[in-house]
Amino acid sequence: MPGLADPKPLLSVMAAAEGATGVALLLAPAMLVELLLGTGLDATAATVARVAGVALLALGIACWRASADVSSDATRGLVAAMLVYNFGVSAVLVLVAFRHGLFGIGLWPVAIAHIAIAGWYLAFILIPPRDCA
């Protein structure tokens, strides 16, 4: 797989992080949203948050399974998808903070973490592998 090094550690970390966040959104969406955005949820928003929780749990499972076969085309596709996901999440969080003034104690740490993780994924895509010969 193109990249700096073996993406297995990143995929393993993301499997745990996204999986745990997904489960937390399923079980306690209002608490997570309060920490992230400093606001509560109505029933509609809680439902959407739980759907997002299912999606994050699925991403966590995909990362966990991909970490077992880092040289496959499917793993390359997942790395590209996770790059888009992490840049997208950070952009949405920054936008909601500046445009709507919503932020909780967790917003900036989460936004910065997603930017850093996106950079890590980008490195796997852009930097060619070292020649082992």
Side-chain angles (χ1 to χ4, degrees):
M1 160 167 249
L4 274 176
D6 182 7
K8 185 174 182 163
L10 175 58
L11 290 169
S12 298
V13 167
M14 292 310 298
E18 301 306 340
T21 303
V23 169
L25 275 172
L26 283 168
L27 299 177
M31 182 184 73
L32 242 55
V33 171
E34 179 69 32
L35 288 171
L36 193 63
L37 301 176
T39 187
L41 297 175
D42 62 15
T44 303
T47 300
V48 172
R50 284 189 168 101
V51 170
V54 172
L56 289 176
L57 185 57
L59 281 177
I61 292 168
C63 287
W64 170 60
R65 297 293 295 147
S67 69
D69 186 14
V70 295
S71 63
S72 73
D73 285 338
T75 298
R76 284 191 287 277
L78 179 62
V79 166
M82 291 301 290
L83 170 65
V84 171
Y85 164 76
N86 280 283
F87 270 133
V89 167
S90 59
V92 167
L93 292 177
V94 169
L95 178 67
V96 77
F98 286 116
R99 191 165 198 195
H100 302 289
L102 295 174
F103 58 90
I105 194 167
L107 184 121
W108 293 115
V110 169
I112 291 166
H114 278 283
I115 291 168
I117 292 164
W120 197 359
Y121 278 115
L122 189 61
F124 288 118
I125 292 171
L126 294 180
I127 299 173
R130 294 186 185 120
D131 188 12
C132 296

